[in-house]
Amino acid sequence: MNKGFKEFLFEDIVNKNKGFLRGPFGGSLKKEIFVPKDKNTYKVYEQGVVLRKNIEIGDYYIEEDYFNKTMYRFEVCPKDFLVSCSGANYGAIFQMPENIEKGIINQALLRIRLNNKLINDDYFNYFFSHHLVNQIIGKKGDSTIPNFPPVSVLKKLKFKIHSCIIYQKQIAKVLSDLDAKIEVNNKINQELEARAKTLYDYWFVQFDFPAYLSGSLSGAEGYKSSGGKMVFNKDLKREIPEGWKAGTLLDIATYVNGLACQKYRPLDESFLPVIKIREMKGGFTNDTEKVRPNVPDRIKIFDGDILFSWSASLEVIQWAGGNGALNQHIFKVTSNKYPKSYYYFELLNYLQHFKMIADLRKTTMGHITQDHLKQSRIVIPPNLIIQQLDEKLKPILDKQVVLQRENQKLSEL
């Protein structure tokens, strides 16, 4: 299995003289030295460029004279790798493209230049992101503020990579193809979500569902735009279609909170992964908490379930990461009366109101309770119209789950 692989020190595979460079001390880049951008200035690249993989981020510049006298060592060139080395997202990596502005790194970045006789850029990018960064994070020490280790420590890290550049390129090509497929699936899912949201808004926000569904009009044109009768609802303080009513989020769904799962620690190799807010956003990882499979059924989660994180980060998603057990601070949302598409999009639509509540508290930490759900006010259409829209939305939601499952398998590969 190890045929063709060779052990290297990190310092072996980088440019001999300029392979590693940490950004300048913060005092060297005080705000008073920054100047407006012009043809002779140098951009100061910051962490956001790496975290969002976007070279347009940032608008700090220094004069050419200051660069030539003091900052020339920290220059960023095309194909350089920049690594975020402080803060919660340290370890993120991004390779600079060919078409960059001339510039330098700031104090929160590490610049890496490779020796391409020993390692291919794409191969290194994958190797660093999926393997090497774990070694680096393991050497961060006990500091409560995450920071990369000194360059002197990085240089001496040992690891094995394939010694054949051609083989490295082949490996990187396979991984790149997998990433490309994942990206295609993500774009399709975004388009599906937008299509479904547009349909929902058209029917249940703008009230332009097909007029014939009202029973009082004929034709497929929109109800409101074709003169359908609207009546004022005092609870909602607005007009809604005749025959519709006001209700709450509690009227259309049941919200079951997860559990603190510590008492269900696995006794053997049988387990379920625990879904916390982190897993809601990015799926399971190697360090995801695990519990015994015999946790209460009410907190077991399956693909297609609707999850609502009601604390800290307020999010509503359709889960597609495989079977799991639900941690506290997340609701599993179900209904015996209404289809999933209805309560999912009603929750999504109401989410902005919940986030506004958090903003009024002057905090980014949300905390939505059953009382907030009870105090909510939504429009509830006749069940026939809800079912008719579900016939259009259900295939879209099902397709999204299929694509997310496929992405999970591709990521595992």
Side-chain angles (χ1 to χ4, degrees):
M1 181 177 291
N2 290 324
K3 185 177 180 181
F5 285 82
K6 181 179 176 182
E7 186 171 80
F8 290 89
L9 296 176
F10 206 159
E11 65 182 348
D12 294 334
I13 67 166
V14 299
N15 184 294
K16 186 174 182 180
N17 297 318
K18 300 179 180 179
F20 290 107
L21 187 68
R22 182 73 187 264
F25 289 114
S28 302
L29 292 174
K30 295 179 180 179
K31 286 190 175 182
E32 52 262 32
I33 71 165
F34 295 140
V35 296
K37 174 183 177 180
D38 67 33
K39 64 180 181 179
N40 295 318
T41 55
Y42 281 74
K43 180 171 182 171
V44 180
Y45 287 101
E46 40 190 281
Q47 276 184 305
V49 171
V50 176
L51 300 181
R52 294 167 60 183
K53 303 188 185 306
N54 183 351
I55 60 173
E56 301 299 325
I57 289 174
D59 56 2
Y60 292 123
Y61 291 82
I62 59 173
E63 292 180 338
E64 184 176 36
D65 183 60
Y66 188 64
F67 169 82
N68 290 331
K69 288 181 179 178
T70 311
M71 294 285 109
Y72 61 90
R73 291 179 54 242
F74 305 99
E75 185 177 14
V76 176
C77 296
K79 312 294 282 185
D80 281 348
F81 284 93
L82 303 187
V83 179
S84 170
C85 43
S86 66
N89 293 298
Y90 75 125
I93 188 169
F94 176 60
Q95 186 175 28
M96 300 296 279
E98 295 284 358
N99 59 331
I100 62 170
E101 293 183 69
K102 57 186 181 182
I104 64 170
I105 54 175
N106 75 357
Q107 65 273 18
L109 294 174
L110 170 75
R111 189 192 71 201
I112 298 176
R113 287 184 186 164
L114 299 178
N115 176 358
N116 288 134
K117 292 181 180 179
L118 293 177
I119 191 163
N120 169 262
D121 284 349
D122 294 333
Y123 180 89
F124 173 78
N125 202 354
Y126 284 109
F127 182 76
F128 184 97
S129 300
H130 296 285
H131 176 70
L132 189 55
V133 70
N134 293 327
Q135 284 186 250
I136 295 171
I137 289 173
K139 294 180 179 293
K140 69 179 183 297
D142 296 324
S143 173
T144 57
I145 301 177
N147 270 290
F148 252 43
V151 168
S152 59
V153 175
L154 290 177
K155 287 181 177 181
K156 301 305 177 182
L157 282 179
K158 294 181 180 180
F159 47 81
K160 290 182 179 180
I161 60 173
H162 205 282
S163 57
C164 175
I165 292 291
I166 294 175
Y167 194 72
Q168 289 180 16
K169 291 180 179 179
Q170 291 173 341
I171 292 173
K173 177 64 168 59
V174 171
L175 296 174
S176 177
D177 288 345
L178 292 174
D179 271 348
K181 175 59 177 170
I182 290 171
E183 182 61 24
V184 167
N185 285 349
N186 285 336
K187 287 182 178 179
I188 293 173
N189 256 343
Q190 290 169 6
E191 292 169 0
L192 289 171
E193 184 78 9
R195 188 191 312 169
K197 186 67 166 58
T198 298
L199 270 172
Y200 163 81
D201 285 348
Y202 193 68
W203 282 47
F204 292 168
V205 178
Q206 301 175 41
F207 306 131
D208 261 334
F209 56 94
Y212 70 87
L213 292 175
S214 68
S216 60
L217 297 173
S218 61
E221 65 274 13
Y223 176 85
K224 185 176 181 180
S225 59
S226 62
K229 185 176 181 180
M230 304 290 290
V231 296
F232 183 80
N233 184 280
K234 62 180 181 180
D235 289 331
L236 297 167
K237 296 181 174 58
R238 61 183 174 125
E239 289 188 334
I240 62 175
E242 185 179 35
W244 293 33
K245 62 182 181 180
T248 73
L249 291 170
L250 277 180
D251 293 329
I252 65 171
T254 300
Y255 301 79
V256 177
N257 198 25
L259 296 175
C261 295
Q262 291 88 339
K263 65 179 181 179
Y264 296 102
R265 298 292 188 203
L267 301 175
D268 51 35
E269 294 303 311
S270 299
F271 64 84
L272 283 174
V274 176
I275 302 167
K276 300 181 180 179
I277 292 174
R278 182 185 67 174
E279 283 73 24
M280 271 187 64
K281 292 184 174 182
F284 298 128
T285 61
N286 290 334
D287 60 346
T288 293
E289 184 182 351
K290 300 172 178 60
V291 294
R292 297 194 296 273
N294 64 338
V295 293
D297 287 343
R298 70 179 187 277
I299 69 163
K300 290 182 180 179
I301 300 301
F302 306 94
D303 286 342
D305 285 345
I306 302 302
L307 305 183
F308 173 25
S309 62
W310 54 265
S311 179
S313 175
L314 303 181
E315 302 290 343
V316 177
I317 68 162
Q318 179 181 218
W319 176 254
N323 298 351
L326 194 62
N327 184 251
Q328 58 187 347
H329 306 305
I330 303 175
F331 288 130
K332 175 182 178 180
V333 189
T334 61
S335 178
N336 294 323
K337 184 176 181 181
Y338 295 104
K340 178 176 70 176
S341 63
Y342 175 57
Y343 58 80
Y344 171 57
F345 282 105
E346 282 296 326
L347 260 177
L348 275 180
N349 190 50
Y350 212 84
L351 198 60
Q352 291 306 313
H353 182 78
F354 286 144
K355 290 182 177 180
M356 183 184 69
I357 292 174
D359 289 342
L360 290 174
R361 296 174 183 158
K362 302 187 183 302
T363 173
T364 58
M365 302 294 286
H367 192 79
I368 301 305
T369 66
Q370 294 277 344
D371 282 341
H372 289 110
L373 296 170
K374 187 176 181 180
Q375 293 161 10
S376 64
R377 291 294 180 268
I378 64 170
V379 179
I380 302 181
N383 202 47
L384 172 65
I385 298 179
I386 293 174
Q387 295 297 335
Q388 288 289 320
L389 182 57
D390 183 60
E391 290 183 8
K392 299 178 181 295
L393 296 182
K394 185 179 184 301
I396 296 176
L397 297 180
D398 290 346
K399 179 64 174 177
Q400 287 183 299
V401 170
V402 170
L403 290 173
Q404 289 174 32
R405 282 175 179 163
E406 183 177 331
N407 275 1
Q408 181 129 355
K409 292 178 180 178
L410 292 171
S411 296
E412 290 169 359
L413 285 176

